[in-house]
Amino acid sequence: MDNLTQKDNFILTFEKSVKECWNKAALDDYNVSSVTYGELAKEIETNVLCWKAAGLAKDDRIAINARSSSNWAKIFLSSQVGEFVSVQIFPGFTPADTVNMVNHSETRILYTEKQIFEHISFDDIPGVIGVIEIKSGELLASRGGFAEVYGKREQLFNEAHPDGLGPEDIHYPDRPLDSLAAIMYTSGSTGNPKGVMLTNRNFTANIYLIPKHFPYRREDNYVSVLPFAHIFGMVYDMLAPLCFGMHLVVLCLPPVPAYLKPALAEFKPYVFFAVPLILTKLMEESIGEFIHSKSGAAKLADYKNNPDFCRALSTIFMEALGGNVGLFVTGGAAIPEQFEKLFVEQLNLPFVTGYGMTEAAPTICLGHKGKYKLKECGEYVDECVDLKIDSPDPEHIPGEILIRGHVLFAGYYKNEEATRAVFTPDGWFRTGDLATMDKDHSVFIVGRSKSMILTPNGQNIYPEEIEVVLNALPGVAESLIVNRNDRLVALIVPDQNQLGDMDASGLKSIMDANIDALNTKIPAYSHVSGYEIRFEPFVKTPKGSIRRFMYS
């Protein structure tokens, strides 16, 4: 594992880019607004001066409870430059949960959205001195004189910088590596939300290792579609592009092909991060008619003898996404097997996967172009992570992934019991994920240890492995495998877009056929014996994982 020093501090990396890219485009809300690095620096300085004038001290909490936007990035960066602690609260949490997290984190200023705050009583968050609408800047509520200070923020900047702000004025604090930088409230699929304490070292480690694996190039544009309230989006889709002086364009719209394709065509990113669902939707929209036709499917099945057809499909897909993508990166969910083979083997796209979690801020494993192995989630990044599989035979018998290193969080805020529960006596963090690992350090995840189902005959069932097969079958939007009286049952949410106004009889016919097809594709010991139809999507965590404990 590499040795990190203060000179590697991610805040100093960001400072360097601000100075060197002063007049370069830095940060856009797609088709709405754009600022240069110099203008970004002014907004950061204005925020910090305002917060300090309002009485905030070092390590006080600034919370963000909103969807991704350029202002989300500005508030986060301001908190880091000002030596405050940024608190991330997923905007999909209930009002009661949001109030609990704001109070639990001891937040002083809350940036949110008006439609979110309409369901929260200001009296219920007594420690907060100001609530600000993140996009418009409107002060939604305040106490203790904050309104007066907030109204003078431009005056505060002009008094501090009467001659304006230039690159020579930028001197960001060299924050200690082990100081608390952020508290990210998350929720695993088996419990209540917890505040993950992330240090400057955690973010520094990620910014240090990312360019060693992925080509984040200053001359490129970067189109962001992942939620910043999720750790992968915050680090890979927001923090890293700005630390490396790239032009970051935040989509700020649902990442469906109708919105995403024009943005990709205009800004032509070289690196593009997306969850599997986004990539599969782009694939379906651009070349779906070819891959699903009888002749197309036959040629893809025999792809080695149909290279011209595969190259043509690859070209159509790449051109539809701007024609400049040199690397697709995905993670956060299992990839349907047929799409994984389509991406990697049949179309030979520059495609890799990664694996991480909030507690690793987020990086644990990263794949590498040209070295992809089916069903892998990459190799663990040994510059900043030590990893081992808790198994007598890690290459063949799944065991829990254990990690330690520079990326590893400092614990759960105000929850020593939960913190102790996830660490071994000798300091390894229990990820809760089960995997094997080959001799190249490629990691293959099979499921979550807490979701594993133990059958009466002692067989271990990993429901995620069944779900990824079922989700690829006709008319299935998402599914969940549960244990009902020692029988495996599939909870299925139908894909209404695909099925249209189909009646109950037609739906039953399709799902009966799906269960039959599923059981031909999986081992006999994991056969599904029945199913239940649900018409409401499953409740999800901030990263999009199903809250399994609600359906067990």
Side-chain angles (χ1 to χ4, degrees), residues 306-496:
N306 291 280
D308 292 341
F309 177 75
C310 292
R311 273 194 298 270
L313 289 190
S314 179
T315 299
I316 294 170
F317 178 68
M318 296 293 278
E319 288 299 320
L321 274 60
N324 190 51
V325 177
L327 186 66
F328 294 99
V329 187
T330 192
I335 309 166
E337 183 178 359
Q338 79 273 25
F339 278 103
E340 184 183 32
K341 289 183 176 180
L342 180 65
F343 275 57
V344 178
E345 294 185 340
Q346 296 162 339
L347 301 188
N348 194 30
L349 295 173
F351 174 80
V352 300
T353 58
Y355 161 65
M357 59 201 319
T358 306
E359 288 87 346
T363 311
I364 297 174
C365 298
L366 296 175
H368 298 89
K369 189 165 69 171
K371 298 180 180 180
Y372 190 89
K373 301 173 185 176
L374 291 178
K375 299 186 178 181
E376 74 159 3
C377 62
E379 303 88 48
Y380 77 83
V381 286
D382 57 8
E383 306 101 308
C384 295
V385 178
D386 284 336
L387 181 149
K388 66 180 180 179
I389 306 294
D390 187 13
S391 165
D393 182 4
E395 196 166 351
H396 302 102
I397 301 174
E400 186 173 13
I401 299 173
L402 307 179
I403 64 166
R404 63 186 181 188
H406 297 308
V407 300
L408 194 56
F409 76 132
Y412 298 113
Y413 188 56
K414 296 180 180 177
N415 197 337
E416 292 183 8
E417 181 180 353
T419 301
R420 284 194 300 271
V422 295
F423 282 92
T424 65
D426 54 348
W428 290 85
F429 173 68
R430 298 183 179 277
T431 65
D433 290 315
L434 300 173
T436 59
M437 181 170 65
D438 67 17
K439 294 176 182 176
D440 299 323
H441 290 171
S442 297
V443 175
F444 302 82
I445 293 177
V446 300
R448 294 282 296 171
S449 60
K450 290 183 179 180
S451 63
M452 186 189 77
I453 298 169
L454 182 64
T455 65
N457 64 1
Q459 184 67 52
N460 293 337
I461 305 291
Y462 304 106
E464 295 91 345
E465 293 185 326
I466 304 172
E467 291 155 8
V468 72
V469 177
L470 180 54
N471 291 347
L473 296 175
V476 179
E478 56 181 349
S479 65
L480 192 67
I481 303 298
V482 298
N483 184 10
R484 297 277 170 83
N485 298 318
D486 293 331
R487 295 169 59 249
L488 295 183
V489 175
L491 309 184
I492 301 175
V493 178
D495 187 336
Q496 304 285 13

Side-chain angles (χ1 to χ4, degrees), residues 267-283:
F267 291 100
K268 302 183 184 304
Y270 189 77
V271 176
F272 180 59
F273 270 74
V275 295
L277 180 61
I278 295 174
L279 292 179
T280 54
K281 283 185 176 180
L282 287 169
M283 184 72 75

Side-chain angles (χ1 to χ4, degrees), residues 14-67:
F14 175 63
E15 176 189 303
K16 183 173 185 290
S17 288
V18 169
K19 290 179 174 179
E20 295 177 353
C21 303
W22 193 258
N23 295 313
K24 180 180 181 289
L27 185 56
D28 294 12
D29 282 334
Y30 178 57
N31 279 345
V32 175
S33 63
S34 181
V35 297
T36 65
Y37 275 88
E39 291 166 334
L40 173 59
K42 179 183 176 182
E43 292 196 43
I44 288 172
E45 178 71 357
T46 301
N47 288 334
V48 172
L49 289 169
C50 174
W51 297 340
K52 289 182 176 179
L56 267 67
K58 182 179 177 181
D59 294 331
D60 275 347
R61 281 43 164 162
I62 312 291
I64 309 173
N65 174 221
R67 291 168 292 180

